[in-house]
């Protein structure tokens, strides 16, 4: 519809008697020429009008000039259903369902840039079909604590991995003429007290841990917009933070796109004007309570800004920079007439969702090869747990979706097993009874009248003669679990799940625990079960993907994008009492030692290490060799599939610096390759080590430093499973 209206407007302009050609409408002209032409035609009022929301998810265009509105949509796992003009509740449309893709923790666990590109292509096509201009995602905040309720939307604890995995997603989304809005920039590493806490972070930690993924998104991915975070840094909210937005993002990194506030993230008019914000969204509206008549006009970048411009308190030069950025965003998206049509809920998108889910599932433990299930010799499969029947696409905050279809784990298993074995279900525990979120209804009634004791007793009775017990537990999208706006209270499994698992293990030796979550959980029963699988939140194709792995149709290849500590105190932020739910100040005392960096510094054995993930086959690593290559080095080795199944291995490169003037981690991830090998097949894997990969940030020099000395390249299957090493001198 918008393309048709724009074509009519173009015809009108071309047929008018206007003496000046409307260059800004001509897509054959250079982008900056179009921007300057449009800017020159806009009134002061029109310039201000495009800098703030006009509804819950849109900002204004310039109707007089044929510049359309910009429409945003929540992601990053699917396209949010249409909501009412000024409310979060859905509008009741019948054509706004979507494909629910796996959570970004699952994508990161695939360690596959190919899957990242596939994800971006598919979700970009859905956003385009729904005529959205800006997709609010991906999220690349670092996993600092296992308690952060929003970790499931992010890409793990390592800045290198998060940076590499977000770039293809960004590039493929934007090929659809839909902008990504990378979030939440920056230092947004907990949900508790998220609007008010001030993050105290030293410069080295900022540059080495919390900024690299965003920098990759901007400089490698070419992101067209960035979302500011809710919390504060150096006493300023991050939606209007001079250092982060102006000096780092726009000046150091050369970002030419638009900074969009998180919804309700703007608190100060003067800072909103001067400190790098370009579009203000969601400050709070009901359309009534404002001296300006409409509360959208009361936004900091609305009439209060216009008043300051008219009386000289605000600079027109700063205004024009904002307007240029918004116009660039508009020309790249809403006014891009060459973008594809897109598609919604297509077979190709369902296939993509399934492929991504399968590649991200992580086999954590597999004693005595209990998996894959030998369906030919299995007569009875007992499925226990609420998460086997619960739909997980609804709830959890802004990433909640209205999926056209969602296959639950038990539905997927029943379809895949058919009549080859009996599948019996027992609830085991009752957790979250959530059925609706923002008026989206799962259609499943989860109420159960049985007591905790009765639920466990019934499950144990059914387990006594089962050939295998599959316990589906973990977390869900309820408040206090994996959900926006709040953090978890502990790493423990909720709803007495530990008691259920312990009781099942007393009567059956063949227990496999499947964890549905976006966070690490404690496993006090780990030695009593044969198998553990991390399945994440898998979206539309959850049940099918899980069945593919459990039954051996697909060989699992995912690896953890963050560390599973044995206990919360094994995490650096908690060991140093540097995580606070209620404090106005959160000091990042652990510095650069986040995740596996902390564990290795203090010789702490994790429950499951960063990069860990098993396969149904085995891989042998040859001796790594290093040779000079230009200004850097090449490390190469052979990897062989020594098992009987085809499989994929994620070969990981870590580097140690032995002679640094500043303390560095024991080793840091600097490369990975995902390779597919047939039984008996060998492939050579090569890593390029460039000089920048050896640098560290020196606050005393306010920059990155490369020191000569001795380094070691470690190559292995995880951070704690190094198979081969080679030293080199720089």
């Amino acid at each position: 519809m918008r393309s048709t209206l724009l074509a009519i407007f173009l015809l009108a302009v071309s047929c008018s008697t206007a003496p000046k050609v409307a260059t800004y409408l001509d897509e054959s002209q250079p982008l900056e020429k179009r921007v300057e032409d449009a800017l020159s035609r806009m009134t002061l009022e029109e310039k201000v009008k495009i800098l703030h929301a006009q509804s819950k998810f849109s900002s204004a265009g310039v109707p007089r000039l044929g510049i359309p509105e910009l429409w945003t949509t929540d992601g990053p796992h699917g396209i949010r259903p249409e909501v009412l003009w000024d409310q979060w509740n859905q509008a009741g449309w019948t054509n706004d369902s979507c494909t629910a893709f796996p959570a970004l923790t699952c994508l990161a666990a695939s360690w596959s840039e190919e899957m990242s590109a596939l994800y971006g292509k598919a979700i970009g096509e859905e956003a385009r079909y729904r005529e959205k201009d800006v997709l609010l995602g991906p999220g690349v905040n670092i996993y600092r604590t296992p308690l952060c309720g929003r970790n499931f939307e992010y890409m793990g604890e390592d800045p290198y991995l998060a940076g590499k995995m977000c770039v293809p997603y960004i590039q493929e989304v934007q090929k659809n003429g839909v902008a990504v809005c990378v979030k939440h920039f920056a230092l947004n590493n907990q949900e508790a007290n998220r609007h008010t806490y001030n993050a105290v972070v030293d410069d080295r930690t900022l540059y080495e841990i919390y900024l690299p993924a965003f920098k990759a998104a901007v400089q490698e991915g070419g992101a067209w917009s960035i979302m500011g975070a809710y919390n504060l840094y150096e006493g300023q909210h991050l939606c209007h933070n001079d250092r982060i937005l102006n000096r780092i993002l726009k000046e150091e990194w050369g970002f030419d796109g638009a900074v969009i506030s998180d919804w309700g993230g703007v608190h100060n008019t003067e800072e909103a004007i001067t400190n790098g914000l370009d579009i203000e969204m969601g400050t709070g509206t009901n359309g009534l309570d404002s001296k300006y008549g409409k509360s959208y006009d009361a936004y900091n970048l609305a009439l209060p800004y216009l008043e300051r411009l008219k009386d000289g308190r605000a600079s027109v030069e700063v205004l024009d920079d904002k307007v240029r950025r918004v116009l660039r965003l508009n020309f790249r998206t809403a006014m891009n007439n060459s973008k594809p049509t897109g598609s919604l809920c297509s077979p190709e998108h369902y296939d993509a969702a399934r492929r991504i889910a399968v590649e991200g599932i992580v086999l954590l433990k597999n004693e005595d090869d209990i998996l894959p299930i030998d369906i030919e010799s299995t007569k009875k499969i007992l499925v226990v747990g609420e998460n086997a029947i619960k739909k997980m696409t609804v709830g959890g905050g802004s990433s909640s979706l209205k999926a056209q279809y969602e296959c639950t784990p038990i539905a997927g298993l029943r379809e895949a097993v058919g009549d080859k074995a009996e599948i019996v279900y027992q609830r085991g525990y009752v957790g979250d009874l959530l059925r609706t979120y923002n008026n989206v209804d799962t259609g499943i009634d989860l109420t159960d009248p049985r007591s905790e004791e009765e639920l466990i007793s019934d499950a144990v009775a059914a387990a006594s003669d089962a050939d295998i017990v599959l316990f589906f537990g973990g977390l869900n999208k309820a408040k206090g679990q994996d959900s926006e706006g709040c953090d978890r209270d502990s790493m423990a499994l909720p709803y007495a799940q530990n008691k259920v698992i312990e009781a099942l293990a007393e009567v059956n030796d063949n227990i496999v625990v499947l964890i549905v979550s976006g966070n690490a959980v404690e496993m006090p029963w780990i030695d009593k079960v044969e198998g553990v699988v991390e399945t994440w939140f898998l979206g539309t194709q959850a049940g099918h993907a899980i069945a593919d792995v459990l039954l051996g149709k697909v060989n699992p290849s995912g690896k953890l994008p963050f560390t599973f500590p044995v206990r919360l105190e094994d995490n650096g932020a908690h060991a140093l009492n540097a995580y606070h739910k209620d404090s106005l100040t959160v000091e990042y005392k652990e510095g650069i030692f986040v995740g596996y960096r902390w564990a290795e510094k203090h010789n702490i054995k994790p429950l499951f290490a960063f990069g860990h993930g098993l396969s149904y086959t085995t891989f042998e690593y040859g001796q790594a060799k290093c040779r000079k290559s230009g200004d850097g080095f090449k490390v190469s080795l052979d990897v062989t599939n020594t098992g009987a199944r085809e499989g994929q291995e994620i070969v990981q490169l870590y580097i140690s610096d032995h002679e640094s003037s500043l303390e560095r981690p024991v080793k840091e991830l600097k490369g990975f390759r995902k390779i597919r090998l047939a039984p008996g097949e060998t492939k050579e894997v090569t890593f390029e080590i460039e000089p920048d990969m050896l640098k560290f940030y020196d606050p005393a020099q306010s920059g990155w430093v490369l020191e000569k000395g001795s380094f070691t390249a470690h190559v292995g299957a995880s951070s704690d499973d190094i198979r081969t090493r080679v030293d080199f001198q720089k």
Side-chain angles (χ1 to χ4, degrees), residues 343-657:
S343 55
L344 187 69
C345 298
S346 66
E348 291 80 8
H349 292 173
Y350 283 145
D351 179 65
R354 188 168 181 166
R355 288 180 60 196
I356 296 161
V358 164
E359 293 224 9
I361 291 173
V362 183
L363 179 61
L364 295 175
K365 181 179 180 180
N366 194 27
E367 291 295 316
D368 299 324
D369 293 330
I370 191 169
L371 295 176
I373 298 170
D374 183 356
I375 200 65
E376 299 302 324
S377 62
T378 301
K379 295 180 180 179
K380 178 182 176 181
I381 300 171
L382 174 63
V383 176
V384 180
E386 181 175 285
N387 282 358
I389 61 171
K390 186 175 179 63
K391 290 189 175 181
M392 293 293 189
T393 58
V394 175
S398 63
S399 64
S400 180
L401 300 171
K402 185 168 81 173
Q404 184 187 58
Y405 164 75
E406 180 177 353
C407 180
T408 61
I410 195 164
L413 278 168
R414 283 177 169 154
E415 181 179 329
V417 170
D419 59 3
K420 295 178 182 177
E422 179 187 13
I423 296 180
V424 177
Y425 175 73
Q426 283 291 332
R427 182 72 172 266
Y429 68 92
V430 173
D432 174 39
L433 300 180
L434 172 76
R435 177 167 173 167
T436 63
Y437 189 88
N438 292 149
N439 289 352
V440 178
D441 194 336
T442 65
I444 297 178
D445 182 1
L446 293 173
T447 57
D448 195 307
R450 290 174 290 176
S451 68
E452 179 182 303
E453 291 74 19
E454 290 172 323
L455 287 161
I456 295 175
S457 176
D458 290 348
V460 168
S464 61
D465 64 344
D467 294 302
I468 188 170
V469 178
L470 304 176
F471 177 85
F472 284 86
L475 307 177
N476 54 44
K477 301 291 187 68
K479 182 178 180 181
Q481 298 198 47
D482 282 328
S483 179
E484 178 184 0
C486 53
D487 284 348
R488 301 164 66 195
D489 291 326
S490 75
M491 268 182 59
L493 287 174
Y495 316 126
Q497 290 179 63
N498 289 339
K499 289 175 64 176
V500 183
I501 297 169
E502 297 271 2
L504 292 169
E506 288 292 323
V507 299
N508 196 305
D509 294 331
N510 297 321
I511 310 290
V512 176
V513 176
L514 297 103
I515 300 295
V516 180
S517 77
N519 260 310
V521 299
E522 292 175 350
M523 300 183 188
W525 33 260
I526 187 65
D527 294 329
K528 299 180 181 179
V529 302
E530 294 292 281
V532 182
V533 183
E534 174 58 65
T535 71
W536 316 109
F537 297 108
L538 296 181
T540 282
Q541 295 281 42
H544 290 137
I546 290 169
D548 286 345
V549 170
L550 291 180
L551 300 176
K553 180 179 179 181
V554 176
N555 193 344
S557 62
K559 304 226 177 190
L560 290 178
F562 53 80
T563 304
F564 271 55
V566 174
R567 55 186 191 138
L568 190 59
E569 294 76 15
D570 292 344
N571 170 276
H574 296 276
L576 297 174
N577 192 29
Y579 163 86
H580 301 285
K581 276 194 171 185
D582 302 315
S583 176
L584 294 180
T585 300
V586 177
E587 186 176 357
Y588 287 39
K589 296 178 184 177
E590 71 280 8
I592 62 172
F593 297 98
V594 175
Y596 69 91
R597 293 166 168 82
W598 175 266
E600 293 183 350
K601 173 182 168 67
H602 295 281
N603 294 311
I604 299 171
K605 182 175 176 55
L607 181 63
F608 297 110
F610 173 79
H612 171 75
L614 303 177
S615 171
Y616 295 153
T617 189
T618 54
F619 300 96
E620 182 179 280
Y621 287 55
Q623 177 59 47
K625 299 177 182 178
C626 183
R627 67 182 187 275
K628 197 81 171 65
S629 176
D631 293 334
F633 301 86
K634 281 188 178 180
V635 172
S636 59
L637 70 154
D638 288 339
V639 179
T640 302
N641 182 346
T642 54
R645 288 174 174 264
E646 179 183 82
Q648 294 188 87
E649 174 67 330
I650 299 164
V651 185
Q652 302 162 41
L653 169 71
Y654 298 83
I655 294 180
S656 297
D657 181 354

Side-chain angles (χ1 to χ4, degrees), residues 185-187 195-199 229-247 265 267-268 270-272 274-276:
F185 190 56
L187 301 169
H195 289 277
T196 51
Y197 79 85
N198 184 54
Y230 278 135
N231 54 296
L232 296 87
Y233 167 68
E234 294 187 341
Q236 291 179 343
H237 279 91
L238 282 156
C239 282
H240 37 84
N241 188 288
D242 180 55
R243 185 178 186 202
I244 294 295
L245 300 181
N246 282 336
R247 288 185 277 154
H267 302 270
N268 182 289
E270 300 299 334
E271 290 183 4
T274 60
N275 290 357

